[in-house]
Amino acid sequence: MSKKLSDMTLKELWKLFPIILKEHNTDYLNWYNDEKQQLLEIIDKVDIKRINHIGSSSVQGLISKPTVDILLEINNDTNIDKLITKLIDNGWTLMSSEKSPNLNMSFNKGYTIKGFAEKVFHLHVRYYDNWNELYFRDYLREHKDVADEYGQLKISLLDKYKNNRDGYTHAKTDFILKHTEKAKEEYGDRYKP
């Protein structure tokens, strides 16, 4: 009998779900729009402040993991337990949850005991705020040279971190923060509530 994903060690999960980079798939936008529509149907409208496609799959032409990242920003008075139940009942798996100092919940869809499904999603649930991911996404969309440099960085990290998601993410942090700061200088308070 196979182990459940929830019973696997981090090392086993990283082996089953390695870092994979692919050329941009123009269907990512459709995947995002379909999933956004489903979220709008299952979550109380009063709880939703903003939904955005973030991450590399949201940047046309950028190499990325074949995963659609979604940032769901909610009202501060949202019933979190009810929201979690609704998402789980609709096929999402809660991967991590922090309530302080800031709400930061991660859900996924498309991870199976046999590896990745055809469509893979990460849902980041946070309170409505001025999130770096929105600025970084816009900066990559509007500065192709920086997006190309970011793609090359990711390719250079692949061999070393193929089975270490935390290491891969950490190795990109300085680049992301540097260009997020440039984006905030250029865009001002574009996403400030």
Side-chain angles (χ1 to χ4, degrees):
M1 185 158 88
S2 296
K3 277 185 175 181
K4 293 181 187 175
L5 294 178
S6 59
D7 295 332
M8 290 184 174
T9 65
L10 199 53
K11 191 173 182 178
E12 290 172 318
L13 289 168
W14 284 346
K15 186 171 173 117
L16 184 60
F17 304 110
I19 301 292
I20 297 169
L21 296 176
K22 292 189 173 183
E23 293 299 320
H24 184 82
N25 181 343
T26 56
D27 287 336
Y28 291 151
L29 180 58
N30 295 330
W31 295 5
Y32 162 72
N33 285 326
D34 291 346
E35 206 58 44
K36 176 182 176 181
Q37 188 56 45
Q38 289 181 29
L39 290 169
L40 291 170
E41 290 170 10
I42 64 171
I43 300 170
D44 293 336
K45 305 288 183 275
V46 69
D47 291 332
I48 299 172
K49 291 296 285 185
R50 190 165 53 193
I51 300 177
N52 272 281
H53 185 184
I54 59 170
S56 295
S57 68
S58 70
V59 180
Q60 185 73 28
L62 179 59
I63 193 167
S64 69
K65 296 189 299 274
T67 303
V68 170
D69 284 280
I70 301 170
L71 175 61
L72 169 63
E73 295 176 84
I74 59 174
N75 279 313
N76 288 10
D77 59 354
T78 298
N79 181 324
I80 300 301
D81 293 330
K82 183 178 171 185
L83 176 65
I84 291 171
T85 299
K86 283 183 179 182
L87 289 169
I88 290 172
D89 288 347
N90 284 275
W92 291 94
T93 300
L94 178 61
M95 298 305 293
S96 65
S97 178
E98 297 174 20
K99 293 192 177 165
S100 68
N102 297 305
L103 177 72
N104 189 359
M105 296 188 300
S106 294
F107 295 81
N108 72 32
K109 219 188 234 192
Y111 288 74
T112 76
I113 196 67
K114 294 180 180 179
F116 294 112
E118 180 185 348
K119 295 179 184 177
V120 179
F121 299 91
H122 291 171
L123 179 65
H124 310 271
V125 180
R126 300 190 194 140
Y127 290 127
Y128 184 51
D129 208 343
N130 199 32
W131 297 109
N132 285 351
E133 290 90 341
L134 299 170
Y135 289 92
F136 185 62
R137 176 204 61 196
D138 289 359
Y139 200 77
L140 293 179
R141 285 177 173 174
E142 296 173 23
H143 296 86
K144 185 174 178 351
D145 58 324
V146 177
D148 290 344
E149 185 181 348
Y150 185 50
Q152 290 303 312
L153 172 63
K154 294 195 294 181
I155 291 168
S156 75
L157 298 171
L158 189 57
D159 284 342
K160 184 174 182 180
Y161 296 109
K162 184 174 184 174
N163 296 105
N164 181 347
R165 286 178 175 264
D166 290 346
Y168 177 76
T169 300
H170 181 72
K172 299 183 301 176
T173 299
D174 288 344
F175 183 94
I176 292 168
L177 290 176
K178 172 185 168 184
H179 292 287
T180 298
E181 287 309 310
K182 288 182 178 183
K184 286 184 174 183
E185 288 173 18
E186 184 172 325
Y187 304 140
D189 291 333
R190 178 179 282 188
Y191 291 108
K192 194 168 187 176

